[in-house]
Amino acid sequence: MDTAALVIILVIALALFFDFTNGFHDTANAMATPIATGALRPRVAVLLAAVLNLVGAFLSTEVAKTISGGMIREDQISADVFPAIIFAGLIGAITWNMLTWLLGLPSSSSHALFGGLIGATLVGVGVLAIDFGVVLSKVILPAVIAPLTAGLIAFAATKVAYAVTRRYDSRPDGRDGFRWGQIFTSSLVALAHGTNDAQKTMGVITLALITVGWQTGADPQLWVIVACAVTIALGTYMGGWRIIRTLGKGLTDVKPAQGFSAEASTASTILASSALGFALSTTQVASGSVIGSGLGRRGSIVRWRTVGRIMIGWVLTLPAAGGVGALAALVVVWLGTWGVLIDAVLAAVVVGGIYLLSRRNAVGADNAMSEVADSVHAVDVTETPPPTRRQREHVAAATRSAGSERSGSADEPTQDDRSGRDAS
């Protein structure tokens, strides 16, 4: 086997491992809120998400074309160098994915991939190899607009959901019927995730095949689609419980109507973007939706400190992954094929170290949200909930009415008073 073929095989293997990390990193996007409200049991939720991610990966390849035929100008890069550059970029993406998973931060796997590829290409080739117009229009702008749009949609949907079901205010956890709706909307999010995120790995593998002349055209081959679909489904089934805990409980206490609204907003935003070929971050969209739903429910508390931590992670993702990708590319530039092997060993050490650290405080289906594990209800509720605003207004009005009647009766003379006056 010649050196070029060996590097391509390493690239494909590393790309599929990134796809695997993408799966368990982003399971929370679809399943955090239905697990938090008890609409789905944890293991059932991740199995459903895995199956729908698998199906969704076959529905569209527009995002794959954005990566394989848009962001990187592969025609300006030597076929002898570019596969190693892609390899270095993947190392940057995987490193950031693993670190944010350890911290329980729902950061963007997509932006980690883009950042890693851009950083490695800048060091290994140069500025001219990046099409910054595509990066701005199909990566940066969607990253800013999509979570804001999803948050506004979720805010409005939550307001509407609570307005049309106001007569159920007296139920302990409010709008319990929305649990059934959550099964549908969370399934739609998982399907949408497959149509967007699985495509990115397809695009990377296709890009590598194009650069060495093993493929012409930006459409991914069938075996690439199948491999990426199966890998992201397996990753999804692993859970990513640390991030599920953050999205399900860390941002706000999610109730069924909120979860339904957030998931509907997330799914609609992702599906629209996939159809347009925008390689957005499904994590940012899901987080924006959860925040919007929290703001939309009266009395809900959004934990802004957690929101701030997540946003800092969003801002750092592109440069951090790009920095690691650039360092890995620098080793390749200096040492050639040996640099690729050294990068592979270092990446294995880093990933293994992060995994061992995670075992010190393991988070799984049984303790990601303890209330779910114990009673299938994550939101703590009482059997006799406090009165709603409308109920308090009725009680206050009745109290005022009763008070005025007593005051009126006190002003009227009693029978004994009348008798005393008559006797006098």
Side-chain angles (χ1 to χ4, degrees):
M1 181 182 297
D2 60 18
T3 303
L6 176 62
V7 173
I8 288 296
I9 291 173
L10 287 174
V11 168
I12 293 172
L14 196 63
L16 291 176
F17 183 71
F18 167 77
D19 202 30
F20 181 80
T21 66
N22 192 353
F24 72 71
H25 201 280
D26 291 0
T27 307
N29 298 346
M31 294 303 166
T33 53
I35 292 174
T37 62
L40 289 169
R41 293 184 180 273
R43 285 296 181 190
V44 174
V46 296
L47 177 60
L48 179 62
V51 171
L52 292 171
N53 263 299
L54 178 67
V55 174
F58 291 92
L59 298 182
S60 171
T61 59
E62 291 301 318
V63 175
K65 294 175 186 176
T66 297
I67 296 173
S68 63
M71 191 173 66
I72 307 294
R73 295 192 178 103
E74 62 272 9
D75 57 337
Q76 298 185 14
I77 304 175
S78 169
D80 297 331
V81 176
F82 197 34
I85 298 301
I86 296 175
F87 186 84
L90 287 167
I91 288 177
I94 290 171
T95 302
W96 184 253
N97 259 8
M98 293 297 293
L99 179 61
T100 50
W101 165 74
L102 177 66
L103 298 175
L105 289 177
S107 69
S108 170
S109 298
S110 307
H111 289 177
L113 176 61
F114 301 145
L117 289 175
I118 291 171
T121 303
L122 288 174
V123 170
V125 183
V127 176
L128 296 178
I130 305 293
D131 190 335
F132 286 99
V134 174
V135 173
L136 179 63
S137 64
K138 292 201 171 184
V139 178
I140 303 298
L141 288 180
V144 176
I145 297 172
L148 179 61
T149 302
L152 291 174
I153 294 172
F155 174 83
T158 303
K159 286 289 188 183
V160 171
Y162 276 89
V164 300
T165 58
R166 192 178 297 279
R167 64 182 180 277
Y168 295 110
D169 277 345
S170 61
R171 292 195 175 185
D173 58 354
R175 287 76 178 177
D176 194 64
F178 277 104
R179 293 182 195 274
W180 296 102
Q182 279 192 276
I183 298 175
F184 171 75
T185 52
S186 61
S187 299
L188 196 59
V189 172
L191 187 71
H193 182 266
T195 67
N196 198 281
D197 277 48
Q199 315 300 319
K200 294 157 190 172
T201 307
M202 296 179 200
V204 169
I205 295 176
T206 301
L207 184 59
L209 296 176
I210 290 173
T211 58
V212 294
W214 292 6
Q215 176 177 333
T216 58
D219 290 309
Q221 299 178 40
L222 179 60
W223 70 268
V224 175
I225 297 174
V226 172
C228 292
V230 171
T231 304
I232 199 170
L234 289 174
T236 301
Y237 184 68
M238 293 299 294
W241 301 104
R242 293 172 180 273
I243 301 175
I244 286 176
R245 181 169 61 184
T246 299
L247 273 184
K249 293 284 287 181
L251 291 176
T252 183
D253 288 329
V254 181
K255 291 193 175 183
Q258 286 176 263
F260 176 86
S261 302
E263 291 146 17
S265 171
T266 300
S268 59
T269 304
I270 296 172
L271 287 173
S273 299
S274 296
L276 297 172
F278 292 149
L280 54 71
S281 166
T282 56
T283 302
Q284 290 183 356
V285 173
S287 301
S289 296
V290 172
I291 294 170
S293 70
L295 294 173
R297 178 171 71 86
R298 183 185 294 111
S300 176
I301 298 175
V302 176
R303 299 178 180 92
W304 292 108
R305 178 171 295 182
T306 303
V307 173
R309 289 177 59 232
I310 291 173
M311 289 186 174
I312 290 172
W314 291 357
V315 172
L316 292 178
T317 296
L318 273 171
V324 176
L327 289 174
L330 194 60
V331 175
V332 172
V333 171
W334 285 346
L335 302 176
T337 304
W338 282 106
V340 174
L341 297 177
I342 292 172
D343 279 345
V345 172
L346 291 176
V349 170
V350 171
V351 170
I354 291 175
Y355 176 77
L356 291 176
L357 283 175
S358 73
R359 294 299 89 195
R360 295 182 178 180
N361 182 24
V363 179
D366 57 339
N367 66 347
M369 283 179 277
S370 58
E371 295 93 340
V372 173
D374 295 339
S375 63
V376 200
H377 291 277
V379 179
D380 294 327
V381 296
T382 60
E383 292 300 324
T384 56
T388 64
R389 179 175 59 84
R390 178 172 293 184
Q391 291 171 336
R392 290 196 299 269
E393 291 175 352
H394 284 315
V395 171
T399 302
R400 287 194 298 270
S401 176
S404 62
E405 290 178 359
R406 287 194 298 271
S407 175
S409 62
D411 293 337
E412 295 178 359
T414 63
Q415 185 174 357
D416 292 339
D417 293 335
R418 287 193 298 268
S419 300
R421 286 195 299 268
D422 292 343
S424 63

